[in-house]
């Protein structure tokens, strides 16, 4: 009876103390366990009643001690301290880089015209970056000033434009060819707000029978309208690239002022966005494509430039610094 009373009043202030109570009453050498040993000496006539009382005592002690332990198990998870219904802290989620957003958009626009995507290596050889593209040996673009060479080997270099991928694709497949080539390019230039030694381009190539300059113009007009809005106009100015003939540079009507004149377009109403032209027959021949049977056009644009125009970004270096205050602003853009 005394023990029942005692056990009804046990308390503990920690999980450790509760364990001490279990040892005291229920372990091999515990008080209740000892009573079970004594039970062997109880007179047979009383065994039934005493046994029942002992079992009840053991159950009581086990339940009480388990209850104490549970209380501490819960408390160690600090249930009491916190409001479990409070909303959780949100995980910081990254955003897509603005250059990736715009690259994906360019890929999607050309995909609607049936252009597929191919990629080529960033470390290239002279053939794919210059020679196959009809650059004469003494052309200034081969100069050390523009090109990063790997070690001292003049044949191994970082590609200065994605036109190298044109060559790789034409070497490995026959027309009809319709693909774009996004990628990183490298030029040994001083870094400023307008230029960087690393930037990104998307190259486009379309080769088939009877491809004309009109096809080039219509394709690029479609792109400009999709990218910068349905009101966008384009203008082609004669230019020169060794690998296209004729060659042109394409301007779009300034998307900020609509052609009226502002700081972005230096009050001309036009901004240059890409170079293009009809693939020079020499280039087709260099890639074993029959230049009598096939014609084609090519174009190349800088992704940084398109992104800066689209989002009014004034300094190209922002793309490479990866300051989250800059990057965060594009979370809603895709
Ligand atoms: N490769 C040229 C550049 O980097 C762009 C270009 C591509 C021009 C294809 C014409 C045709 O400036």
């Amino acid at each position: 009876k005394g023990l029942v009373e005692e056990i009804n009043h046990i308390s503990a202030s920690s999980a450790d103390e509760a364990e001490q109570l279990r040892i005291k009453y229920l372990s091999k050498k515990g008080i209740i366990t000892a009573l079970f040993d004594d039970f062997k000496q109880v007179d047979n006539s009383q065994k039934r009643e005493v046994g029942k009382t002992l079992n009840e005592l053991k159950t009581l002690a086990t339940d009480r001690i388990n209850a104490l332990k549970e209380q501490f198990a819960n408390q160690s998870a600090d249930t009491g301290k916190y409001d479990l219904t409070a909303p959780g802290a949100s995980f910081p989620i990254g955003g897509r880089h603005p250059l990736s957003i715009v690259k994906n958009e360019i890929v999607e626009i050309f995909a609607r015209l049936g252009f597929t995507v191919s990629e080529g290596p960033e470390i290239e050889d002279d053939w794919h970056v210059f020679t196959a593209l009809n650059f004469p040996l003494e052309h200034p673009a081969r100069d050390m000033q523009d090109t990063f060479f790997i070690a001292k080997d003049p044949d191994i270099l970082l590609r200065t434009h994605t036109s190298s991928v044109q060559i790789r694709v034409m070497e490995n497949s026959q027309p009809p060819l319709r693909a774009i080539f996004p990628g990183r390019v490298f030029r040994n230039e001083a870094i400023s707000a307008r230029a960087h030694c690393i930037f990104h381009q998307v190259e486009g190539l379309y080769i088939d029978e009877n491809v004309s300059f009109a096809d080039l113009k219509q394709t690029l007009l479609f792109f400009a309208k999709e990218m910068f809005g349905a009101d966008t106009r384009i203008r082609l100015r004669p230019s020169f690239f060794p690998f296209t003939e004729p060659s042109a540079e394409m301007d779009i009507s300034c998307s900020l002022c609509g052609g009226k004149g502002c700081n972005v377009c230096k009050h001309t109403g036009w901004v240059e966005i890409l170079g293009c032209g009809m693939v020079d027959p020499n280039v087709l021949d260099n890639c074993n494509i029959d230049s009598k049977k096939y014609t084609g056009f090519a174009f190349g644009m800088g992704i940084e430039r398109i992104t800066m125009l689209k989002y009014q970004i004034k300094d190209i270096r922002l793309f490479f610094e990866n300051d989250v205050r800059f990057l965060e602003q594009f979370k809603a853009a895709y």
Side-chain angles (χ1 to χ4, degrees):
K1 270 242 173 88
L3 259 179
V4 172
E5 191 76 353
E6 188 179 319
I7 286 164
N8 271 327
H9 287 94
I10 56 170
S11 70
S13 57
S14 69
D16 254 10
E17 279 183 36
E19 173 62 9
Q20 289 307 318
L21 288 169
R22 188 194 66 79
I23 293 167
K24 179 175 172 190
Y25 293 105
L26 297 169
S27 70
K28 269 195 175 154
K29 293 194 173 131
I31 297 170
I32 294 173
T33 317
L35 287 176
F36 274 90
D37 288 340
D38 294 347
F39 180 66
K40 290 173 196 134
Q41 273 110 62
V42 170
D43 193 78
N44 267 348
S45 62
Q46 289 189 299
K47 266 207 160 108
R48 200 189 149 105
E49 205 180 326
V50 175
K52 196 175 158 228
T53 313
L54 271 182
N55 277 327
E56 280 169 6
L57 183 65
K58 189 181 177 184
T59 308
L60 176 70
T62 309
D63 288 353
R64 290 277 301 147
I65 289 167
N66 282 346
L68 288 174
K69 284 196 166 175
E70 219 162 279
Q71 175 193 332
F72 292 118
N74 285 341
Q75 256 185 25
S76 71
D78 286 329
T79 353
K81 281 194 199 162
Y82 296 108
D83 175 4
L84 294 180
T85 64
S90 58
F91 292 103
I93 299 174
R96 207 159 273 165
H97 194 281
L99 294 177
S100 299
I101 297 172
V102 170
K103 183 200 81 180
N104 291 344
E105 203 175 333
I106 296 170
V107 168
E108 274 166 30
I109 292 170
F110 282 104
R112 277 178 243 148
L113 296 176
F115 284 77
T116 56
V117 175
S118 291
E119 285 177 2
E122 293 177 349
I123 299 174
E124 265 292 7
D125 52 29
D126 180 276
W127 170 256
H128 290 93
V129 176
F130 297 128
T131 302
L133 285 160
N134 208 29
F135 276 80
L137 255 176
E138 67 284 3
H139 195 281
R142 292 174 175 232
D143 201 299
M144 293 292 281
Q145 291 204 338
D146 292 316
T147 310
F148 286 114
F149 292 91
I150 306 287
K152 289 195 176 65
D153 190 343
D155 194 41
I156 309 295
L157 44 95
L158 297 178
R159 64 181 178 194
T160 55
H161 53 183
T162 42
S163 301
S164 54
V165 192
Q166 279 189 36
I167 301 300
R168 289 192 174 270
V169 167
M170 287 193 279
E171 281 173 339
N172 292 318
S173 34
Q174 283 294 312
L177 292 174
R178 189 162 39 177
I180 58 170
F181 321 119
R184 206 155 49 147
V185 300
F186 308 84
R187 285 185 199 175
N188 195 354
E189 277 182 42
I191 296 170
S192 71
R194 315 200 79 236
H196 211 287
C197 57
I198 301 175
F199 59 102
H200 300 76
Q201 288 186 329
V202 176
E203 187 91 2
L205 180 70
Y206 181 24
I207 312 242
D208 202 349
E209 289 176 42
N210 303 315
V211 175
S212 73
F213 201 89
D215 297 318
L216 166 64
K217 201 171 164 185
Q218 194 58 37
T219 302
L220 294 179
L221 176 63
F222 174 80
F223 167 72
K225 286 173 178 282
E226 291 295 301
M227 190 51 134
F228 291 100
D231 297 337
T232 310
R233 287 164 293 131
I234 62 168
R235 139 178 126 167
L236 291 160
R237 282 179 290 103
S239 185
F240 175 80
F241 299 102
F243 38 94
T244 48
E245 183 60 34
S247 304
E249 265 159 321
M250 188 176 93
D251 298 341
I252 55 165
S253 53
C254 181
S255 53
L256 190 65
C257 63
K260 288 185 197 69
C262 68
N263 278 336
V264 171
C265 57
K266 297 198 190 73
H267 301 280
T268 63
W270 297 96
V271 277
E272 185 200 318
I273 65 160
L274 56 80
C276 59
M278 301 306 291
V279 178
D280 192 301
N282 288 344
V283 176
L284 297 176
D285 292 340
N286 286 339
C287 302
N288 295 319
I289 288 176
D290 185 349
S291 60
K292 302 225 163 44
K293 187 171 177 198
Y294 296 108
T295 53
F297 65 73
F299 57 87
M301 66 185 98
I303 304 180
E304 279 78 0
R305 187 160 177 76
I306 305 282
T307 311
M308 288 169 84
L309 282 172
K310 208 171 152 81
Y311 293 108
Q312 303 298 319
I313 297 161
K314 294 200 174 60
D315 193 321
I316 196 172
R317 291 169 289 202
L318 286 164
F319 293 122
F320 302 98
E321 284 162 2
N322 287 325
D323 185 328
V324 285
R325 289 169 299 181
F326 170 70
L327 297 176
E328 248 170 16
Q329 300 176 51
F330 299 91
K331 276 192 179 171
Y334 60 94

